[in-house]
Amino acid sequence: MKKILIMASAGFCISMFAPTTSQAGYEIFDPSVSSCTGLNCSSIVMGGTVLNAVGLSTARWEAAVYANPGECLRVDETAMFGSGADDEIVVVGPNGTVWRNDDFTGLRPRVAFIAPQRGWYYVTIARFNGAPAPEHDFYLAYGRYIGTGNPNCASPTPGFAPAQAAKVPGGAGQAAPRNTPTGQ
């Protein structure tokens, strides 16, 4: 009995610290899909911080947001607080498509597009040029909207397809980047 209890305790401890596919606290889900037409209406607004305590880091903030195909997905940095803050938003879709924006409104970025597929879209906020970022706070609005004609998706951010494997005679193919907008 004592051996079973020890083994059960060990199994529990291992399961508590074992890596999993879940990213608790990382995925942000907006349960509403709105038809409202005001900018950022019905969005989830959250505060975030780009941390850079040592001043030498290419600090960034990351999260994952959800969308279904055909929905307008809008991620908008509505305010920045901190000296020297100048951000860029990069969103990577479930299929590898990349959307990025810097300075949509002043120095604040905004990414908006019609989601091509169901899933989690990974959002990164960092300094626009990749240089060490000053530590700063921001507000981010994330919303899901119905239809392609919604003003929240006016001036959509162009998406770029992921690299595709190039076939080379003889089988020595390597990935070749494709910088063609997906049209989504």
Side-chain angles (χ1 to χ4, degrees), residues 11 28-29 33 35 37 62 64-65 69 84-85 92 94 108 123 129-130 133 145 165 175:
I28 302 164
F29 179 75
V33 180
S35 60
T37 57
E62 298 175 323
V65 297
V92 180
R108 296 189 324 265
V123 178
N129 61 1
Y145 302 94

Side-chain angles (χ1 to χ4, degrees), residues 70-95:
E71 293 175 353
C72 164
L73 175 61
R74 182 180 174 105
V75 182
D76 189 357
E77 190 173 277
T78 60
M80 283 188 290
F81 311 99
S83 178
D86 187 358
D87 291 338
E88 174 183 54
I89 293 177
V90 177
V91 177
V92 180
N95 66 351

Side-chain angles (χ1 to χ4, degrees), residues 22-126:
S22 174
Q23 299 288 328
Y26 183 76
E27 295 166 338
I28 302 164
F29 179 75
D30 180 357
S32 67
V33 180
S34 181
S35 60
C36 67
T37 57
L39 294 182
N40 292 319
C41 58
S42 186
S43 65
I44 294 174
V45 177
M46 63 201 92
T49 300
V50 174
L51 292 173
N52 190 1
V54 296
L56 302 174
S57 172
T58 54
R60 64 186 178 275
W61 178 91
E62 298 175 323
V65 297
Y66 183 85
N68 281 315
E71 293 175 353
C72 164
L73 175 61
R74 182 180 174 105
V75 182
D76 189 357
E77 190 173 277
T78 60
M80 283 188 290
F81 311 99
S83 178
D86 187 358
D87 291 338
E88 174 183 54
I89 293 177
V90 177
V91 177
V92 180
N95 66 351
T97 300
V98 176
W99 295 267
R100 65 185 329 136
N101 181 262
D102 172 35
D103 300 345
F104 185 79
T105 305
L107 296 178
R108 296 189 324 265
R110 185 231 43 170
V111 169
F113 57 91
I114 302 301
Q117 72 183 96
R118 175 180 181 254
W120 293 100
Y121 289 76
Y122 294 91
V123 178
T124 301
I125 296 177

